[in-house]
Amino acid sequence: MSYTPIEKIEVDERVYEKTLKWLGRNKTEVGESFYNCDEIDERLRRSERALRNALKKGKMRKDVFDALARFIDIDPDYLSGKLFRDIKALNVPGSVKRALIVSMTPEKYRYGMRDTKDAGARYFEDILSLHGISLTQLRQLGRRRELELALAIEHAIVPVLSSFFEVDAAGEDLYPEIWRLAAQIEGAIGDQDMLGLEEAAS
């Protein structure tokens, strides 16, 4: 039987702590409640001490962290600090990065909101369809090139929208939230690069 390595993700203890503080909770209370929650698969439960140790090391099993994020009701990409790292990797002015990070409050990243990411994929597919490009052609590019295309489109569209509109449908400032999708795409490209390195090393 071949050995399948356990997938781990990078987690930022500072982001985790700040998120819990915003929620009015603390690591001890959350850890104990998580360990004793009957609704969580017992194979994924971890003690408060085990969670603390993993957070200090900056690495945690992906399935365990996903269960923890679901329990806390925060998107795991936010709770782990991944979204913040993705924004720092964006090829935009530092002022945009800083404004994006300041605007990223936990209530905008509840676990149940994760399905909205699928809307982003449909959005790019619709753009291509309107211009006579089929989904088959898009898939033939390969995942990495798909993401690069999506990022190029987003970098072209955002400045245009910003020049015509100052607020969104809710009357809130477009900036810096309008750059959020670009940050998510940058993060997806980074994930692809990491996957390629892992496959090359295996």
Side-chain angles (χ1 to χ4, degrees):
M1 178 182 291
S2 61
Y3 169 70
T4 303
I6 296 173
E7 185 175 2
K8 291 190 175 184
I9 61 169
E10 182 178 346
V11 294
D12 189 322
E13 186 177 22
R14 293 169 301 174
V15 174
Y16 181 79
E17 290 176 342
K18 287 180 179 179
T19 303
L20 292 189
K21 184 176 181 180
W22 181 87
L23 293 169
R25 307 180 74 175
N26 61 67
K27 289 195 291 187
T28 300
E29 177 263 320
V30 168
E32 292 176 351
S33 298
F34 179 72
Y35 183 70
N36 293 300
C37 182
D38 292 334
E39 296 179 3
I40 298 172
D41 187 329
E42 62 181 15
R43 293 171 296 182
L44 300 177
R45 294 184 215 168
R46 294 294 185 275
S47 68
E48 186 269 338
R49 176 178 290 183
L51 292 178
R52 279 182 182 269
N53 289 339
L55 286 165
K56 285 191 178 299
K57 292 178 181 178
K59 294 283 186 181
M60 191 178 297
R61 276 180 51 163
K62 183 177 181 180
D63 53 356
V64 172
F65 192 79
D66 186 79
L68 178 61
R70 182 190 291 271
F71 178 72
I72 298 172
D73 190 24
I74 295 292
D75 186 316
D77 285 347
Y78 182 97
L79 191 62
S80 68
K82 181 181 183 300
L83 288 179
F84 296 92
R85 295 189 293 273
D86 292 347
I87 287 174
K88 290 176 182 178
L90 265 177
N91 184 26
V92 296
S95 59
V96 174
K97 296 180 185 181
R98 289 190 292 273
L100 263 175
I101 289 173
V102 169
S103 74
M104 290 171 60
T105 52
E107 74 267 17
K108 298 176 182 177
Y109 294 90
R110 292 296 190 175
Y111 191 96
M113 296 178 178
R114 302 183 74 205
D115 291 341
T116 59
K117 293 179 180 178
D118 293 335
R122 293 193 298 272
Y123 156 67
F124 290 115
E125 290 171 7
D126 287 344
I127 288 176
L128 295 178
S129 178
L130 285 169
H131 291 84
I133 305 298
S134 70
L135 185 58
T136 298
Q137 287 176 279
L138 176 64
R139 294 292 178 260
Q140 288 174 343
L141 291 177
R143 181 59 175 163
R144 169 73 191 221
R145 291 289 287 165
E146 280 186 44
L147 292 169
E148 289 175 346
L149 171 61
L151 185 60
I153 291 173
E154 193 64 6
H155 273 288
I157 287 177
V158 167
V160 173
L161 293 177
S162 298
S163 70
F164 281 86
F165 303 98
E166 294 182 355
V167 299
D168 61 18
E172 302 290 336
D173 287 343
L174 273 182
Y175 176 87
E177 289 291 312
I178 196 169
W179 285 102
R180 185 189 299 179
L181 182 56
Q184 292 175 342
I185 298 169
E186 286 271 13
I189 290 174
D191 290 344
Q192 284 289 306
D193 290 342
M194 184 61 67
L195 180 60
L197 288 174
E198 290 174 351
E199 290 178 344
S202 63

